Amino acid sequence: MAEASEPAKVGAATTVESSQAGGFDDSTKKTVQKIPLLKTRAGPRDGEKWNQRLKEEYQALIHYVKINKENDNDWFRIKSNKAGTRWEGKCWYYHENLKYEFDLCFDMPVAYPATAPEIRIPELDGKTVKMYHGGKICLTVHFNPLWSKNVPRFGIAHALALGLGPWLAAEVPDLVSRGVIVAT
């Protein structure tokens, strides 16, 4: 299967009013509306409830990957440690028919799901102003308010779809035009 030219264009879930989903195109919104919403409010310290939350997270991620593959828009791979507290993988973005691939990682915050995970792309640390120390991508303006209004319904799949995907779409072309990154 050919890889897509850009990450999934994702948007607001069905429970989110359109005014809250500003900045996301229709394709993005339609994709996110297909990602299952989560029910369990539990974080890494919540024992059996966390295990239930992880099941929901995996189900949503599997469904999101399936949607992406059906739309020829496969743009990431991700896996967790056994406890589901540390996630690592790869993401990629196509710009002008060239592939730009990056390692990604994040730890589940203790206050999860009330606090969104801070997705990191360590190799881009310091290369864009839309990034915090340690390679954490900036999600404060557009994504975090949307996340906080959708706790506990949003999960990792939503963070990738509404956070990382749009971030890559905005930042990779700029990084390429400035000669900061080269295709893989």
Side-chain angles (χ1 to χ4, degrees):
M1 177 185 293
E3 292 166 343
S5 62
E6 60 189 39
K9 295 177 181 171
V10 293
T14 55
T15 60
V16 179
E17 296 176 25
S18 60
S19 63
Q20 296 173 345
F24 298 107
D25 64 23
D26 288 339
S27 173
T28 298
K29 293 174 188 175
K30 287 178 186 175
T31 299
V32 168
Q33 288 173 348
K34 295 176 185 175
I35 298 173
L37 297 174
L38 289 72
K39 296 179 177 111
T40 305
R41 184 184 292 260
R45 294 184 178 175
D46 292 326
E48 194 53 42
K49 283 182 75 178
W50 174 241
N51 291 334
Q52 177 58 37
R53 174 72 185 206
L54 277 176
K55 281 183 187 179
E56 294 173 21
E57 294 283 1
Y58 286 123
Q59 289 169 345
L61 279 165
I62 289 166
H63 193 75
Y64 182 42
V65 167
K66 182 181 172 191
I67 292 166
N68 286 341
K69 287 186 179 199
E70 288 170 355
N71 291 308
D72 197 24
N73 197 19
D74 189 28
W75 64 276
F76 70 89
R77 295 281 178 271
I78 192 168
K79 64 181 179 178
S80 74
N81 63 5
K82 188 174 180 178
T85 56
R86 172 93 175 141
W87 295 74
E88 298 176 331
K90 298 265 186 199
C91 60
W92 52 92
Y93 184 87
Y94 281 83
H95 178 66
E96 296 179 352
N97 295 319
L98 296 174
K99 183 178 181 181
Y100 298 86
E101 185 173 53
F102 312 99
D103 291 329
L104 73 100
C105 60
F106 58 91
D107 295 311
M108 298 307 286
V110 172
Y112 188 82
T115 302
E118 294 179 315
I119 300 170
R120 295 186 306 125
I121 303 177
E123 65 206 86
L124 296 181
D125 188 18
K127 296 183 178 179
T128 172
V129 296
K130 294 183 181 171
M131 181 167 275
Y132 300 113
H133 181 69
K136 295 175 186 173
I137 66 172
C138 177
L139 298 175
T140 55
V141 176
H142 300 289
F143 176 70
N144 284 349
L146 189 60
W147 178 278
S148 66
K149 291 176 182 172
N150 285 280
V151 171
R153 298 179 301 261
F154 277 9
I156 296 165
H158 299 89
L160 295 172
L162 293 168
L164 181 59
W167 189 91
L168 289 169
E171 291 303 303
V172 169
D174 177 62
L175 291 167
V176 170
S177 72
R178 292 188 291 122
V180 176
I181 59 173
V182 294
T184 52

